[in-house]
Amino acid sequence: ETQAMHWSNGSVVTLKNGTMKAAANVDRLKMAMQNYGTLTIDGMTMDFTNVPQNFYGTYTGAYAKYSELEVPSFCTNSTGSIIIDNSTLTFNAASNYGVYVESTATISGSTINGTVALSTDNAAATSTATITGSTVSGGVVAYFAGDCIVNDGDDFTVYASAESAQTAAAALNLEAQVGNNFYTKFENAIPALRNGDTIKLLGDVDIERQVNSFYNVTLDLNGYTISNTVDIWNDSVAAKTWSLIS
């Protein structure tokens, strides 16, 4: 009664070439989707702005870590996987978590108006997202407090501890760090910034597109340099670009 869509473990589902929109004022609606199967979304426009922000209650035992957390509205659980291709997904602006992933997600040629949230609530204690040719307005974030994101190019992996994340990040050519989250691309760290965050450079950065943050943040250059060698000022793609960072 609380989920608009539910795909069970073992199911293989493709949604393609259409439009879906959550209706307004549906009192019981808590989640747009709960996916335990193999799901492909291809050429879809999906509008979930009418799915309200909801929160879990207070729990004990195995589910205690969910106490008072926001309920993600578009979930792929530990037995599932999701491919999003050439699609646009829009979530309620009040929601902190859009596409929630406990396993694997592959996102290409798409626009996510919201976040991609990676969770460690599975046997492997990691989950991954590969994002190419896409825009994720709210960035890739960890669902549980204390979990840490490591970005390697187009790949994002969440770890259940700072130590695990630091071990994974040590072998990478990193450009930036935000808390215990590590990024090989400075630009990939920007969408996930929130008020009060500090983004610290871990190497010299050559920016190839304008980066924007709409929060009160601190940029710690840490002795490194930000530069630009690709002309982004008057090309047709970025005709309105007027600064590297704003």
Side-chain angles (χ1 to χ4, degrees):
E1 295 180 349
T2 62
Q3 302 168 13
M5 296 173 283
H6 185 105
W7 314 118
S8 298
N9 186 10
S11 62
V12 179
V13 179
T14 298
L15 304 175
K16 64 185 302 181
N17 301 333
T19 299
M20 301 181 72
K21 182 175 182 177
N25 303 316
V26 179
D27 293 338
R28 290 181 178 271
L29 185 60
K30 306 298 183 183
M31 287 185 181
M33 185 197 73
Q34 183 89 296
N35 171 41
Y36 292 89
T38 300
L39 176 63
T40 298
I41 297 172
D42 181 10
M44 292 291 295
T45 298
M46 310 179 83
D47 184 348
F48 303 123
T49 54
N50 287 324
V51 178
Q53 186 183 37
N54 295 289
F55 295 87
Y56 292 112
T58 301
Y59 305 110
T60 58
Y63 294 99
K65 61 184 177 181
Y66 284 95
S67 291
E68 313 301 329
L69 282 178
E70 182 181 320
V71 179
S73 59
F74 198 80
C75 301
T76 291
N77 296 83
S78 57
T79 61
S81 63
I82 187 169
I83 296 172
I84 302 173
D85 183 40
N86 192 32
S87 297
T88 298
L89 280 65
T90 301
F91 296 92
N92 189 319
S95 298
N96 294 301
Y97 308 108
V99 178
Y100 169 94
V101 181
E102 285 182 5
S103 51
T104 62
T106 303
I107 302 172
S108 59
S110 296
T111 298
I112 310 297
N113 294 309
T115 64
V116 171
L118 299 182
S119 169
T120 57
D121 193 18
N122 55 49
T126 64
S127 57
T128 62
T130 299
I131 303 173
T132 57
S134 300
T135 299
V136 181
S137 67
V140 179
V141 300
Y143 182 66
F144 291 111
D147 285 359
C148 306
I149 298 286
V150 175
N151 158 240
D152 182 10
D154 297 324
D155 298 323
F156 297 80
T157 303
V158 67
Y159 294 88
S161 71
E163 292 77 12
S164 296
Q166 289 166 355
T167 298
L172 303 176
N173 185 21
L174 298 167
E175 288 189 350
Q177 178 179 357
V178 180
N180 286 319
N181 300 327
F182 300 90
Y183 301 87
T184 57
K185 291 183 178 181
F186 172 78
E187 296 96 321
N188 286 344
I190 301 300
L193 290 171
R194 298 296 183 264
N195 282 332
D197 283 346
T198 295
I199 179 170
K200 181 169 72 172
L201 295 192
L202 300 177
D204 292 332
V205 175
D206 184 359
I207 298 178
E208 296 184 358
R209 61 180 176 84
Q210 186 183 39
V211 293
N212 303 291
S213 175
F214 302 97
Y215 296 92
N216 296 320
V217 299
T218 299
L219 173 59
D220 180 359
L221 275 74
N222 194 30
Y224 294 102
T225 300
I226 295 176
S227 60
N228 164 249
T229 56
V230 175
D231 186 4
I232 64 173
W233 308 109
N234 294 307
D235 59 42
S236 59
V237 175
K240 295 182 179 180
T241 299
W242 57 274
S243 67
L244 281 179
I245 303 174
S246 66

